[in-house]
Amino acid sequence: MAHLDLSTLHAFAAKLAIEAGSYLRDQALQRTQGGRTFDESISIKENAADLVTHADMHAEQLISDAIRKEYPDHKIIGEESYSAGQEKRFLLDDDPTWIIDPLDGTVNFVHLFPTCCVSVGFCVNKIPVVGAVFAPMLGGLHVTNASGTLYSAAQGHGSWSTPISFPFDPSVLSPPSTPPATNYKLPQPFHHSVPLPYLPPQPIPSDAPKGCLFLAEWGKARSDSPTSNLTKKVNTLWNFAAEVGGREGKGGMVHGLRSLGSAALDMVYVATGAIDIFWEGGCWEWDVCAGTIIVNEAGGIVVPSQTPASILSDPSSPIPPADLGSRLYLAIRPAGDSEDGEKARDAQERLVREVWKRVEKLDYVRPQ
């Protein structure tokens, strides 16, 4: 990656996400100002929970066109172009590749629920090294005095949260001319950026997942079969909500269960430190690519969401990072060392193994 300027790529990814998000916000605003309906622009992909809109497709086109103009040699994997094609294998190789979700949380966007976003990730050697997630509706849908939030990261440059006002002024994505009053550990990439996590990383509780905030998604596979992935997800969520000692000792009794409807924002809230555990099966690489680097740079980890074969055969094996194409992801928040001497990474891995004990095995597959 010596020839890649990650700071430049970071700013470019952020700009793409914000410009596409500004377009999506404008589309949402039109619905609030003229009685314009959205029904005619909605299409169902696999079922009634799996939607695509004209806004998704146009936002992806905006991003793809900008990448091809600026980086014509880079590859692009986008959700809508992938979904529309016949090739369903994992297409990522070692070449520099942009992985984009033009609208993560389409159902939320359709309902004007604010947890939707644009996710732009950049990979080299199959590893996410730059990511930008922009949520354009978190500040409301007012014509004036509204803002969105950018979450972004680059390998070795930290993870950051940046408020973005409308209309978007690209100059805010330049480094500040004077250092911030607060002594940040890494250089501030953009005006008004603050590092993630928001608070100094806290130790993982010794009895975790008790006391944790747990986040998971229902997913788009909605079969009512007793052996379906949805049934296994529901059983797993029930398990984490159960009283400790219940259900043959597997109950986790977390503080609460949350579901935002956007895997990209799920990952972001792990990076902020607000969410302790994000457990997921069934989403795709464009849902988590940008979020993975944001979590990693904040000090969190992203690993498989169920025990991998290597650890089933040898429990002492190191915990591997999640395979970006696996559709199985578990993110654990940034952590601090504990007073009793447990190192942060050891505590994160302890929590991973406790999660693995309590989840049902999901069966998400894709062509090889």
Side-chain angles (χ1 to χ4, degrees), residues 158-322:
S159 288
W160 303 86
S161 170
T162 309
I164 301 295
S165 299
F166 300 107
F168 167 53
D169 177 1
S171 69
V172 303
L173 295 183
S174 57
S177 55
T178 57
T182 305
N183 293 321
Y184 295 154
K185 294 180 179 179
L186 292 167
Q188 194 177 12
F190 312 132
H191 288 279
H192 315 301
S193 295
V194 297
L196 300 179
Y198 289 130
L199 296 175
Q202 304 298 303
I204 301 289
S206 60
D207 54 359
K210 180 182 179 182
C212 291
L213 195 56
F214 184 96
L215 196 154
E217 296 297 337
W218 294 91
K220 296 172 182 175
R222 300 294 178 87
S223 169
D224 61 357
S225 164
T227 60
S228 72
N229 283 317
L230 178 59
T231 300
K232 294 173 182 177
K233 280 191 171 185
V234 171
N235 289 341
T236 295
L237 299 185
W238 187 5
N239 200 13
F240 278 95
E243 183 177 357
V244 173
R247 302 192 66 216
E248 300 179 351
K250 294 191 298 182
M253 199 175 183
V254 296
H255 268 172
L257 304 174
R258 301 291 183 266
S259 182
L260 301 180
S262 163
L265 286 176
D266 293 337
M267 300 282 273
V268 158
Y269 282 111
V270 171
T272 70
I275 294 293
D276 300 284
I277 304 163
F278 169 49
W279 176 78
E280 175 62 343
C283 59
W284 302 84
E285 48 270 25
W286 43 81
D287 298 310
V288 299
C289 178
T292 294
I293 183 64
I294 293 172
V295 169
N296 288 341
E297 283 295 307
I301 61 174
V302 183
V303 301
S305 61
Q306 55 199 33
T307 311
S310 60
I311 292 180
L312 285 173
S313 60
D314 181 3
S316 65
S317 297
I319 295 176

Side-chain angles (χ1 to χ4, degrees), residues 33 40 46 56 74 90-91 105 154 167 205 210 226 266 272 286 304 316 320 337 350:
Q33 295 173 354
E40 293 181 357
E46 293 188 9
D56 297 64
H74 289 184
F90 186 48
L91 302 179
K210 180 182 179 182
D266 293 337
T272 70
W286 43 81
S316 65
D337 298 341
R350 166 172 55 82

Side-chain angles (χ1 to χ4, degrees), residues 12-294:
F12 181 68
K15 182 172 180 287
L16 293 179
I18 294 167
E19 289 180 342
S22 297
Y23 159 75
L24 293 174
R25 176 179 175 272
D26 288 343
Q27 292 294 299
L29 272 172
Q30 288 183 34
R31 295 170 56 201
T32 70
Q33 295 173 354
R36 176 184 172 188
T37 65
F38 210 59
D39 295 342
E40 293 181 357
S41 67
I42 299 174
S43 299
I44 294 175
K45 290 194 275 190
E46 293 188 9
N47 58 42
D50 191 6
L51 306 179
V52 63
T53 71
H54 292 324
D56 297 64
M57 295 182 284
H58 186 63
E60 182 171 310
Q61 191 66 52
L62 290 174
I63 297 170
S64 298
D65 287 349
I67 293 171
R68 292 188 182 102
K69 181 178 179 180
E70 189 72 19
Y71 297 104
D73 295 333
H74 289 184
K75 294 181 178 179
I76 302 171
I77 298 174
E79 178 184 10
E80 301 313 330
S81 54
Y82 179 97
S83 298
Q86 299 300 313
E87 177 59 86
K88 300 303 180 187
R89 294 178 301 164
F90 186 48
L91 302 179
L92 185 63
D93 57 25
D94 291 341
D95 293 333
T97 304
W98 296 88
I99 301 183
I100 57 179
D101 191 339
L103 177 50
D104 189 42
T106 300
V107 171
N108 289 347
F109 179 72
V110 167
H111 290 271
L112 298 186
F113 194 79
T115 51
C116 53
C117 64
V118 179
S119 178
V120 178
F122 179 70
C123 292
V124 180
N125 298 322
K126 299 187 182 72
I127 298 173
V129 296
V130 169
V133 173
F134 180 59
M137 291 167 53
L138 289 181
L141 276 175
H142 310 288
V143 178
T144 59
N145 299 323
S147 65
T149 304
L150 170 72
Y151 303 95
S152 62
Q155 191 176 73
H157 295 250
S159 288
W160 303 86
S161 170
T162 309
I164 301 295
S165 299
F166 300 107
F168 167 53
D169 177 1
S171 69
V172 303
L173 295 183
S174 57
S177 55
T178 57
T182 305
N183 293 321
Y184 295 154
K185 294 180 179 179
L186 292 167
Q188 194 177 12
F190 312 132
H191 288 279
H192 315 301
S193 295
V194 297
L196 300 179
Y198 289 130
L199 296 175
Q202 304 298 303
I204 301 289
S206 60
D207 54 359
K210 180 182 179 182
C212 291
L213 195 56
F214 184 96
L215 196 154
E217 296 297 337
W218 294 91
K220 296 172 182 175
R222 300 294 178 87
S223 169
D224 61 357
S225 164
T227 60
S228 72
N229 283 317
L230 178 59
T231 300
K232 294 173 182 177
K233 280 191 171 185
V234 171
N235 289 341
T236 295
L237 299 185
W238 187 5
N239 200 13
F240 278 95
E243 183 177 357
V244 173
R247 302 192 66 216
E248 300 179 351
K250 294 191 298 182
M253 199 175 183
V254 296
H255 268 172
L257 304 174
R258 301 291 183 266
S259 182
L260 301 180
S262 163
L265 286 176
D266 293 337
M267 300 282 273
V268 158
Y269 282 111
V270 171
T272 70
I275 294 293
D276 300 284
I277 304 163
F278 169 49
W279 176 78
E280 175 62 343
C283 59
W284 302 84
E285 48 270 25
W286 43 81
D287 298 310
V288 299
C289 178
T292 294
I293 183 64
I294 293 172

